[in-house]
């Protein structure tokens, strides 16, 4: 506090009494439910003492104010200068000075230092009255307005408002002593409706202000710790509340984002489902159009290429093939050419009879050639002229016959495709999966690719992975016995267990296996656009050596992989029908498939010295199996990976020459009956087409009759003929150099084509 020349005190902290009043009212007055008259008295009690203590007698230092504010942040009073806010009715304030102060004013002697102090107990009433009068003279207009309002609205005496006060409160009001903090606290605590924490904060604030006076003596350390702890707890609670609010806000934001993302995901799922439905409908529509086009083309080719006609033979009906008009025309032209050729031959014979006789070298000899009457010899010029004409006609007919032969071969290829397509359409119409079903809620069947003995292969589309697949559906005969069904399922499961672990670019991948019903299940395989090698050979007869070697190299790579994995695998059913052409031509990639008859060479069944027992003798394709698979005896024959080597040799021979090396035009029953493969001791090569000697030697090695002399898969894959040209030439040069550096004697030659010097009786002894 600082005093000017007029002696009027001024509050250095600059608190406005109206702001104090509004702050106290905003903190807790609205929570006290009392009579309006008692409320006015309470407001005068609190505000009067507050204003007089702050404006009249107390000078609060900045440090003390900051300490009080930190201890009680709920009592937030912004200090500012209130020297200009003086009351207008000082007389009424002086009359009611005791009531307005309420014993809560703080006195200070002139000339004392700064700080909040309480009045001494031994002060004289006159001195106290004088100081209160000066405080009244410097009071604010708010307290005057409150008292004026109270005087106007209330005509009762002051004592009537304190009939129910406690003795301590009455003693403090009557005496000249300043009220203690305990009495003030008791008064507030017993006030009705004081259930809010804000009034407790105000109580603590006034108690701290009173305790800070030097007249009260030193404050106990425990009280300070409690106040500090209370302040710290309040601060921590505020921080926690703010943190909780922030976390709640973040949680709400995240929940909102999750809800938005969930809605977006649901929308994307709906769009994806719509796309799948559209995709499915487009695939079905495309497949339906392809079926219609194929059937229309077949109907057009029925008359041109031929068709199956049902004819009656005895008591039953059979379907016989009848060629179309294209073949009929070609046959007529061939008959015409044959007739013209016969006519030319007849004319040549007549011409030779009319050939002029040559003069004999010996004049004594006479020509006894008989000439019919009326016939004359032709001159030498006419004879040669007629002979030249007949030769030209004969050459033209030969060329025409060759053209007709090429046309006939072309028609035969078309007829084979036509017959194959007719059979496929017939099987597709009789299939129970012809109406584009979806298997396993994933695979959409489009069309039938082919049908075997107990299985159907359909072209399908994987709706999940968006790719074409080949679905092989195995159907068990309902009339089979349970043991036969169990045996078939066991073989199918074995094929699945073998195939599912294979991962090689030259082997068809197995994607999935699932059950359809009690009598059928499906294996999902990788789809290849091209046909198999068997179909290509039927269409083109032979394959050039370069392309055929490429097929064998890729096949050997797949077989090498099968023999390098643990445990190794024997394919056992390698044939052109199980070699798929990826691009439909022999110049592209190939993949091998069909592991239904494969054998696993594990430690329990396979012995490297002798091999493993053949448990499925009689199964497989006989033209491509080695002789040891046909041996019948007490014990089953022993096989190894050399079975696949024999199959590779047969396939290579068929690609080069257009026919099988053994039993070409025989059926499997005839091969088994005549022991054709058991008699296949040596392979013979036709003169045409021309094949390199290296290819022939490779075929001889693969088709060695004795399995002991035949190489295994790993040795076959390392053959020089299958290596690239650069590596093969390098290896050959190294061998040549080593032979030249060696002994000077004649080199030892090994002829691979030598036939084994043993009879049939000791072949397998």
């Amino acid at each position: 506090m600082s005093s000017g020349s007029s002696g009027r005190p001024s509050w250095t902290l600059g608190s406005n009494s109206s702001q104090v009043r509004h702050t106290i009212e905003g903190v807790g007055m609205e929570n006290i439910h009392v009579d309006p008259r008692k409320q006015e008295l309470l407001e005068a009690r609190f505000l009067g003492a507050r204003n007089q203590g702050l404006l009249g007698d107390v000078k609060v230092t900045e440090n003390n104010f900051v300490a009080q504010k930190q201890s009680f942040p709920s009592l937030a009073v912004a200090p500012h200068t209130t020297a200009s806010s003086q009351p207008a009715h000082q007389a009424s304030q002086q009359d009611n000075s005791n009531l307005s102060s309420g014993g809560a004013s703080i006195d200070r002697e002139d000339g004392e230092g700064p700080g909040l102090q309480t009045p001494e107990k031994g002060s004289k009433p006159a001195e106290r009255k004088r100081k209160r009068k000066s405080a009244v003279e410097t009071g604010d207009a708010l307290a005057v307005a409150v008292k004026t309002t109270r005087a106007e609205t209330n005509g009762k005496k002051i004592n009537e408002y304190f009939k129910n006060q406690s003795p301590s409160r009455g003693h403090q009001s009557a005496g000249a002593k300043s009220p203690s903090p305990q009495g003030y606290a008791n008064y507030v605590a017993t006030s009705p409706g004081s259930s809010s924490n804000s009034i407790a904060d105000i109580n603590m604030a006034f108690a701290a202000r009173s305790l800070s006076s030097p007249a009260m003596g030193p404050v106990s350390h425990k009280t300070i710790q409690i106040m500090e702890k209370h302040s710290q707890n309040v601060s921590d609670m505020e921080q926690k509340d703010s943190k909780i609010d922030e976390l709640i806000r973040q949680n709400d934001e995240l929940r909102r984002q999750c809800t938005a993302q969930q809605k977006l995901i649901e929308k994307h799922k709906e769009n994806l489902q719509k796309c799948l439905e559209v995709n499915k409908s487009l695939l079905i529509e495309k497949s339906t159009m392809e079926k219609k086009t194929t059937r229309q083309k077949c109907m057009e080719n029925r008359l041109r290429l031929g068709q199956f006609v049902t004819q009656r033979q005895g008591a039953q009906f059979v379907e016989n093939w009848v060629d179309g008009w294209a073949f009929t025309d070609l046959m007529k032209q061939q008959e015409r050419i044959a007739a013209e050729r016969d006519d030319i031959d007849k004319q040549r014979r007549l011409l030779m009879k009319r050939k002029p006789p040559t003069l004999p070298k010996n004049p004594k000899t006479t020509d006894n050639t008989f000439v019919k009457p009326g016939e004359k010899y032709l001159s030498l010029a006419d004879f040669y002229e007629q002979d030249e004409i007949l030769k030209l006609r004969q050459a033209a007919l030969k060329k025409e016959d060759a053209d007709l032969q090429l046309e006939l071969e072309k028609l035969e290829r078309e007829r084979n495709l036509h017959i194959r397509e007719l059979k496929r359409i017939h099987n597709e119409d009789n299939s129970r999966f012809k109406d584009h079903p979806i298997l396993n809620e994933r695979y959409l069947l489009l069309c039938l690719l082919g049908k075997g003995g107990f299985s159907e292969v359909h072209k399908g589309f994987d709706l999940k992975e968006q790719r074409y697949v080949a679905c092989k559906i195995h159907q068990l005969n309902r009339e089979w016995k349970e043991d036969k069904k169990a045996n078939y399922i066991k073989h199918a499961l074995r094929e699945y267990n073998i195939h599912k672990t294979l991962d090689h670019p030259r082997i068809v991948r197995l994607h999935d296996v699932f059950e359809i019903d009690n009598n059928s299940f499906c294996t999902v395989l990788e789809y290849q656009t091209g046909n198999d090698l068997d179909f290509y050979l039927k269409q083109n007869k032979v394959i050039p050596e370069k392309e055929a070697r490429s097929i064998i190299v890729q096949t050997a790579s797949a077989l090498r992989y099968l023999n390098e994995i643990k445990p190794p695998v024997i394919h056992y059913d390698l044939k052109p029908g199980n070699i798929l052409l990826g691009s439909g031509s022999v110049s592209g990639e190939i993949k091998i498939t069909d592991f239904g008859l494969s054998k696993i060479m594990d430690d329990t069944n396979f012995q490297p010295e002798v091999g493993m027992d053949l448990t499925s003798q009689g199964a497989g394709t006989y033209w491509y199996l080695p002789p040891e698979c046909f041996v019948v005896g007490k014990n089953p024959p022993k096989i190894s990976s050399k079975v696949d080597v024999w199959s590779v040799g047969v396939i290579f021979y068929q690609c080069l020459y257009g026919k099988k090396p053994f039993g070409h035009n025989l059926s499997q029953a005839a091969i088994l009956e005549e022991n054709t493969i058991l008699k296949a001791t040596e392979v013979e090569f036709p003169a045409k087409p021309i094949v390199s000697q290296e290819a022939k030697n490779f075929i001889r090695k693969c088709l060695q009759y004795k399995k002991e002399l035949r190489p295994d898969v790993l040795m076959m894959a390392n053959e020089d003929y299958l290596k690239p040209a650069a590596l093969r030439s390098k290896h050959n040069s190294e061998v040549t150099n080593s032979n030249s550096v060696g002994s000077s004697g004649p080199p030892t030659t090994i002829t691979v084509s030598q036939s084994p010097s043993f009879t049939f009786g000791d072949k397998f002894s």
Side-chain angles (χ1 to χ4, degrees):
M1 178 181 294
S2 62
S3 61
S5 58
S6 60
R8 293 179 178 270
S10 64
W11 187 19
T12 59
L13 296 179
S15 296
N16 194 342
S17 61
S18 62
Q19 289 183 354
V20 174
R21 180 174 182 272
H22 290 303
T23 302
I24 296 174
E25 290 176 354
V27 171
M29 282 302 181
E30 67 273 14
N31 295 327
I32 303 175
H33 304 283
V34 296
D35 188 73
R37 296 179 180 179
K38 293 183 179 181
Q39 183 176 355
E40 293 175 2
L41 181 60
L42 291 175
E43 289 177 357
R45 168 71 178 139
F46 285 103
L47 297 177
R50 179 67 174 171
N51 293 332
Q52 285 186 356
L54 294 175
L55 298 175
D57 299 325
V58 183
K59 179 181 180 181
V60 183
T61 62
E62 184 176 357
N63 295 332
N64 197 9
F65 178 78
V66 172
Q68 294 180 15
K69 184 177 180 181
Q70 292 179 355
S71 300
F72 299 92
S74 61
L75 186 59
V77 181
H80 61 277
T81 306
T82 58
S84 60
S85 177
Q86 299 293 337
H89 303 280
Q90 296 181 0
S92 60
Q93 268 189 337
Q94 183 175 0
D95 295 336
N96 300 317
S97 61
N98 291 329
L99 180 61
S100 62
S101 61
S105 62
I106 304 174
D107 299 333
R108 185 189 66 82
E109 297 293 338
D110 294 336
E112 293 179 356
L116 294 177
Q117 299 177 359
T118 56
E120 298 179 359
K121 295 182 179 181
S123 60
K124 297 179 180 181
E127 184 179 358
R128 176 172 180 155
K129 184 176 183 181
R130 180 180 60 78
K131 290 183 179 181
R132 288 180 177 173
K133 184 177 181 180
S134 64
V136 169
E137 292 176 357
T138 60
D140 58 357
L142 180 60
V144 175
V146 172
K147 293 180 181 182
T148 305
T149 306
R150 182 194 62 194
E152 292 176 356
T153 57
N154 188 8
K156 297 182 180 181
K157 295 181 180 182
I158 295 177
N159 294 333
E160 294 179 3
Y161 291 98
F162 299 93
K163 290 180 180 181
N164 297 325
Q165 290 293 334
S166 61
S168 60
R169 177 60 193 160
H171 176 72
Q172 291 175 3
S173 300
K177 297 180 180 180
S178 298
S180 62
Q182 291 81 0
Y184 175 72
N186 292 334
Y187 174 77
V188 176
T190 56
S191 61
S194 179
S195 61
S196 175
N197 293 330
S198 299
I199 297 180
D201 293 338
I202 297 172
N203 184 17
M204 292 296 293
F206 278 100
R209 180 174 177 272
S210 301
L211 290 173
S212 63
S213 176
M216 295 298 293
V219 183
S220 63
H221 182 67
K222 186 175 182 181
T223 304
I224 296 175
Q225 289 182 350
I226 292 174
M227 295 173 64
E228 291 178 353
K229 186 175 292 185
H230 175 72
S231 176
Q232 184 67 26
N233 293 336
V234 171
S235 178
D236 293 342
M237 289 299 295
E238 291 179 352
Q239 292 179 1
K240 291 180 180 179
D241 291 342
S242 62
K243 186 66 176 178
I244 290 173
D245 293 340
E246 180 68 17
L247 293 176
I248 291 174
R249 187 188 65 79
Q250 294 179 1
N251 190 17
D252 293 340
E253 180 67 19
L254 291 176
R255 187 178 290 107
R256 185 189 64 80
Q257 294 179 3
C258 289
T259 304
Q261 290 295 328
Q262 191 68 24
K263 292 181 179 179
L264 187 62
I265 290 173
E266 294 295 333
K267 185 177 180 181
H268 285 322
K269 285 183 178 180
E270 293 178 359
N271 294 335
L272 180 60
Q273 189 64 28
K274 292 179 181 178
C275 292
L276 289 177
E277 292 295 332
V278 173
N279 194 8
K280 183 174 67 175
S281 62
L282 290 176
L283 288 170
I284 294 175
E285 182 179 358
K286 179 184 177 182
S287 177
T288 304
M289 293 178 62
E290 289 178 351
K291 289 181 179 180
K292 290 182 179 179
T293 304
T294 303
R295 282 163 171 76
Q296 184 178 0
K297 186 177 179 180
C298 286
M299 291 298 296
E300 293 175 356
N301 290 331
R302 282 176 184 267
L303 299 177
R304 187 174 70 92
L305 299 176
Q307 58 183 336
F308 287 100
V309 178
T310 304
Q311 296 178 352
R312 181 173 180 178
Q313 291 183 357
Q316 59 183 359
F317 292 90
V318 294
E319 290 186 350
N320 296 326
W321 177 258
V322 178
D323 290 328
W325 57 264
F327 286 94
T328 304
D329 292 345
L330 285 178
M331 295 300 292
K332 289 181 179 180
Q333 293 182 19
Q334 286 181 344
E335 291 176 357
R336 177 184 59 81
I337 291 174
E340 291 182 0
R341 187 176 294 172
D342 293 340
D343 185 50
I344 291 174
D345 291 339
K346 184 177 180 181
Q347 292 181 11
R348 283 181 65 85
R349 286 193 299 269
L350 293 176
L351 182 64
M352 291 304 294
K353 290 181 180 181
R354 300 181 63 183
K355 181 179 179 181
T358 58
L359 295 176
K361 294 181 180 180
N362 190 359
K364 294 182 179 181
T365 59
T366 58
D367 189 7
N368 296 323
T369 304
F370 177 78
V371 180
K372 290 182 179 182
E375 291 183 358
K376 297 181 179 180
Y377 290 105
L378 295 175
S379 64
L380 195 60
D382 292 338
F383 174 78
Y384 283 113
E385 181 180 353
Q386 293 291 335
D387 186 61
E388 185 71 19
I389 291 173
L390 292 177
K391 287 181 179 179
L392 290 176
R393 287 182 60 188
Q394 191 174 11
L397 289 176
K398 185 177 181 180
K399 184 177 181 299
E400 187 178 359
D401 185 50
D403 294 340
L404 287 177
Q405 192 66 29
L406 293 177
E407 185 68 21
L408 181 61
E409 291 179 358
K410 182 180 178 181
L411 283 177
E412 286 179 351
R413 289 195 294 268
E414 292 184 7
R415 182 178 62 183
N416 293 335
L417 288 176
H418 177 61
I419 293 174
R420 181 175 180 175
E421 193 65 22
L422 287 176
K423 290 181 179 180
R424 189 197 66 81
I425 292 175
H426 176 73
N427 294 328
E428 186 177 44
D429 293 338
N430 294 329
S431 175
R432 66 188 183 102
F433 302 100
K434 62 181 179 181
D435 296 328
H436 306 288
I438 298 179
L439 303 181
N440 203 26
E441 300 180 355
R442 177 174 177 177
Y443 302 104
L444 173 65
L445 299 186
L446 300 177
C447 63
L448 180 69
L449 297 177
K451 182 178 180 181
F454 306 104
S455 62
E456 296 178 354
V457 180
H458 290 260
K459 180 182 178 181
F461 187 81
D462 189 353
L463 298 176
K464 183 178 180 181
E465 297 293 337
Q466 295 292 303
R467 63 188 177 189
Y468 286 102
V469 293
C471 298
K472 186 176 182 180
I473 301 175
H474 304 262
Q475 301 185 67
L476 307 181
N477 193 342
R478 298 179 183 274
E479 298 179 358
W480 283 358
K481 296 181 180 180
E482 293 299 328
D483 55 349
K484 191 174 182 179
K485 289 184 179 180
N487 188 29
Y488 185 88
I489 294 174
K490 184 181 82 171
H491 283 81
L493 291 177
R494 184 184 63 183
E495 177 186 2
Y496 165 70
N497 292 327
I498 294 174
H499 202 173
K500 71 178 180 181
T501 59
L502 303 180
D503 185 10
H504 191 267
R506 299 292 170 259
I507 298 177
V508 174
R509 296 180 182 273
L510 176 65
H511 294 312
D512 194 7
V513 174
F514 57 89
E515 182 182 4
I516 300 176
D517 53 29
N518 293 332
N519 294 316
S520 60
F521 61 94
C522 178
T523 56
V524 182
L525 303 169
E526 181 182 1
Y527 177 72
Q528 294 293 315
T529 56
N531 293 311
D532 52 46
L533 182 60
D534 181 64
F535 178 79
Y536 187 89
L537 289 174
K538 288 180 179 178
Q539 295 295 105
N540 299 277
K541 301 298 183 181
V542 297
I543 299 176
E545 182 181 350
K546 189 175 181 180
E547 285 78 7
R549 176 184 169 276
S550 175
I551 294 174
I552 298 302
V553 167
Q554 298 181 60
T555 306
S557 175
L559 295 177
R560 179 201 291 257
Y561 168 77
L562 293 177
N563 282 266
E564 288 178 348
I565 61 175
K566 299 298 181 182
V569 175
I570 303 174
H571 190 282
Y572 194 80
D573 195 20
L574 199 60
K575 58 184 179 180
N578 290 335
I579 298 178
L580 303 180
L581 304 178
S583 59
S585 64
V586 293
S587 59
E589 298 180 351
I590 64 101
K591 291 178 182 291
I592 65 175
T593 183
D594 195 355
F595 290 83
L597 298 177
S598 299
K599 319 295 180 184
I600 300 177
M601 296 185 290
D602 52 4
D603 297 335
T604 58
N605 298 326
F606 178 75
Q607 297 178 2
E609 295 80 10
V610 296
M612 63 182 297
D613 293 338
L614 178 59
T615 56
S616 59
Q617 191 173 16
T621 309
Y622 294 164
W623 295 281
Y624 305 94
L625 291 179
E628 59 264 22
C629 295
F630 296 90
V631 176
V632 180
K634 295 181 180 179
N635 298 323
K638 302 289 184 180
I639 62 170
S640 63
S641 64
K642 296 180 180 181
V643 174
D644 294 336
V645 175
W646 178 280
S647 302
V648 169
V650 175
I651 293 171
F652 195 22
Y653 185 97
Q654 185 178 357
C655 291
L656 294 176
Y657 297 101
K659 64 177 183 178
K660 304 176 185 67
F662 311 110
H664 174 60
N665 291 322
L666 297 179
S667 63
Q668 292 207 142
I671 290 175
L672 193 62
E673 183 179 356
E674 298 177 6
N675 294 325
T676 304
I677 306 301
L678 288 175
K679 299 176 183 178
T681 57
E682 188 177 358
V683 59
E684 297 179 357
F685 297 98
K688 290 185 179 180
I690 299 175
V691 179
S692 65
Q693 189 62 34
E694 291 83 359
K696 293 180 180 179
N697 292 336
F698 177 79
I699 293 174
R700 287 191 183 100
K701 289 180 181 180
C702 294
L703 298 181
Q704 280 289 336
Y705 191 86
K706 272 195 171 183
K707 63 180 180 180
E708 291 82 6
L709 301 177
R710 193 186 314 145
D712 57 8
V713 169
L714 298 179
M715 295 175 61
M716 179 197 68
N718 291 326
E719 284 290 330
D720 293 337
Y721 179 72
L722 301 183
K723 292 181 180 179
L727 297 178
R728 186 168 64 245
S729 61
K730 181 178 179 180
H731 178 73
N732 291 337
S733 62
E734 291 177 356
V735 173
T736 304
N737 294 333
S738 63
N739 291 335
S740 62
V741 175
S743 61
S744 59
T748 303
T749 59
I750 300 176
T751 304
V752 182
S753 61
Q754 292 177 352
S755 60
S757 58
F758 55 84
T759 60
F760 179 76
D762 59 351
K763 287 179 182 177
F764 299 98
S765 58

